[in-house]
Amino acid sequence: MVSDTAEVFAGSFTQQEPIPEEAIDAAVAVMRHGRLHRYNTAPCEIAEAALLEQEFAAMVGAHYCLAVASGGYAIATALRAVGVKPGDRVLSNAFTLAPVPGAIAAVGATPIFVDVTQGLVIDLDDLAAKLDQARVLLLSHMRGHICDMDRLMALCDAAGVTVVEDCAHTMGASWNGVPSGRHGAVGCYSCQTYKHVNAGEGGLLVTDDAALAARAIMLSGSYMLYDRHLAGPPPEAFETVKYDTPNISGRMDNLRAAILRPQLKRLEAQIDGWNARYHVFQDGLRDTPGLTLIDRPAVERFVGSSFQFLLSGWAPEAITSMLTRCAARGVELKWFGGAEPVGFTSRYDSWRYAEPSALPASDAVLASIIDMRVPLTFSLDDCALIARIIRAEVSAVFQQG
């Protein structure tokens, strides 16, 4: 029950901003000429997908970029391109979303999960202890939290472990001045509706390795049209791989690329908007009894498109009560520690195809993580109201316990 005097939030946690008018015009132009397939171009025409790849590569400072059908497809393609084979083992975070272990399983490999810290990043001590178990790390910057990438890369380089970065939540973010996705051999990004650019679905892959880029382009279904990639490697990079790389079609089309290109131009302004909202939540929830905020390192430039806090040591019944009370007041929160997968939330032990080993340290962290989307359709006043509601309900349940 909600009292008549209690504040209630009436907005939506899933409503995105409209697609920019420039992007709508570009999409309509593609629909009018009908050449949606990236390799279906008129004489002297450059495909929207090729232009998107060129522009994104320049934005993150990469030699090569490939636009594909989804972020998950980008990850699976990256794993195949770095040489992961059926039966291999791939290290990855225990705190991540289902497409990450799903990409590992899609290539016939087995995930080896690494612990998560209370900072919601991969536990580098646990990683160091497990580096001899695999030759590839699929590192998920889950919910936009970036670990100490300098230490991680030093560990992996010393062990000969190749790093593939899942940057679905960190497009536009950086560690120590280096853009997310540019530390490892490959960076993979998502263009799904709830990410930092919105094509409904889509993905991008970047690398500086010409041979790796050539394999990825062939895997994506380029046939022998790889010379139409403005952000692809030179023709000689394809000379051997074009004969023995399977076509696993997953190209991005020109319609989605046309929608995305104008959004890249305004990404910096969008990041400012997300971070302004994030700081309102952070300020509004600071020093709430029973609630722990996540510290962000000074060298991490993050994108606050979602917000997390911890309810450490809370009983499951208390967390459920808090979630129910917040929902009654219009605030939609997700709990990563729930026993059953709900929507996008799930624990590493939910992915039974992975046959995971128990990780009690991670279990304790996952049991406490509360997650919230931060759409740019929220005003700063909306964020302050939501923070007041969460603070009130967390405090009420905490005092009862």
Side-chain angles (χ1 to χ4, degrees), residues 40-315:
N40 176 207
T41 53
C44 300
E45 179 186 19
I46 300 174
E48 291 284 337
L51 290 168
L52 172 68
E53 291 165 344
Q54 183 181 57
E55 290 160 3
F56 190 76
M59 188 183 92
V60 300
H63 284 69
Y64 312 115
C65 177
L66 173 66
V68 294
S70 72
Y73 183 91
I75 296 170
T77 299
L79 293 176
R80 289 187 173 96
V82 301
V84 175
K85 300 285 194 303
D88 286 353
R89 289 144 66 95
V90 176
L91 296 159
S92 195
N93 310 46
F95 177 44
T96 188
L97 292 178
V100 174
I104 297 172
V107 302
T110 300
I112 304 298
F113 292 113
V114 182
D115 273 323
V116 59
T117 72
Q118 285 205 331
L120 304 191
V121 296
I122 194 168
D123 185 320
L124 295 181
D125 292 334
D126 192 43
L127 174 65
K130 293 176 176 174
L131 281 172
D132 62 350
Q133 298 184 32
R135 60 185 184 84
V136 173
L137 165 65
L138 174 52
L139 174 67
S140 178
H141 301 302
M142 177 62 172
R143 306 313 273 163
H145 295 272
I146 304 176
C147 73
D148 182 340
M149 291 302 298
D150 300 318
R151 184 183 170 203
L152 180 138
M153 290 306 304
L155 288 169
C156 291
D157 288 345
V161 170
T162 299
V163 177
V164 174
E165 293 181 69
D166 162 33
C167 306
H169 303 155
T170 54
M171 183 187 290
S174 62
W175 178 269
N176 213 8
V178 178
S180 181
R182 301 294 295 122
H183 292 85
V186 194
C188 302
Y189 308 80
S190 174
C191 308
Q192 187 245 38
T193 286
Y194 298 120
K195 305 306 190 293
H196 298 165
V197 290
N198 177 14
E201 194 59 89
L204 295 159
L205 178 158
V206 299
T207 183
D208 287 345
D209 186 311
L212 198 158
R215 288 193 293 272
I217 289 170
M218 295 302 298
L219 285 161
S220 75
S222 67
Y223 299 93
M224 296 300 154
L225 301 173
Y226 46 78
D227 60 336
R228 300 192 190 180
H229 287 251
L230 297 179
E236 54 267 26
F238 294 88
E239 282 308 307
T240 55
V241 300
K242 68 183 182 182
Y243 297 115
D244 58 18
T245 305
N247 179 327
I248 307 174
S249 294
R251 298 167 296 268
M252 181 181 287
D253 57 80
N254 284 327
L255 181 58
R256 281 183 284 182
I259 292 170
L260 289 170
R261 290 179 61 211
Q263 293 183 56
L264 287 184
K265 296 176 186 177
R266 66 174 197 164
L267 181 59
E268 284 298 315
Q270 301 292 89
I271 291 171
D272 289 344
W274 272 308
N275 288 354
R277 287 155 178 79
Y278 186 99
H279 288 302
V280 171
F281 286 121
Q282 198 170 47
D283 292 343
L285 293 173
R286 197 178 306 282
D287 300 323
T288 301
L291 181 152
T292 302
L293 294 175
I294 310 301
D295 292 329
R296 310 301 293 242
V299 296
E300 177 195 25
R301 192 233 183 169
F302 65 90
V303 181
S305 56
S306 66
F307 189 88
Q308 296 75 41
F309 58 86
L310 306 180
L311 299 179
S312 300
W314 281 45

Side-chain angles (χ1 to χ4, degrees), residues 23-37 45 48 253-256 258-259:
I24 292 172
D25 291 343
V28 170
V30 171
M31 289 188 285
R32 288 194 189 285
H33 64 56
R35 295 184 293 279
L36 274 67
H37 193 286
E45 179 186 19
E48 291 284 337
D253 57 80
N254 284 327
L255 181 58
R256 281 183 284 182
I259 292 170

Side-chain angles (χ1 to χ4, degrees), residues 371-393:
D371 177 86
M372 175 175 62
R373 286 197 182 105
V374 183
L376 288 170
T377 47
F378 286 178
S379 69
L380 297 183
D381 287 342
D382 289 336
C383 296
L385 168 60
I386 293 166
R388 289 196 300 273
I389 291 170
I390 295 172
R391 185 183 188 92
E393 298 305 338

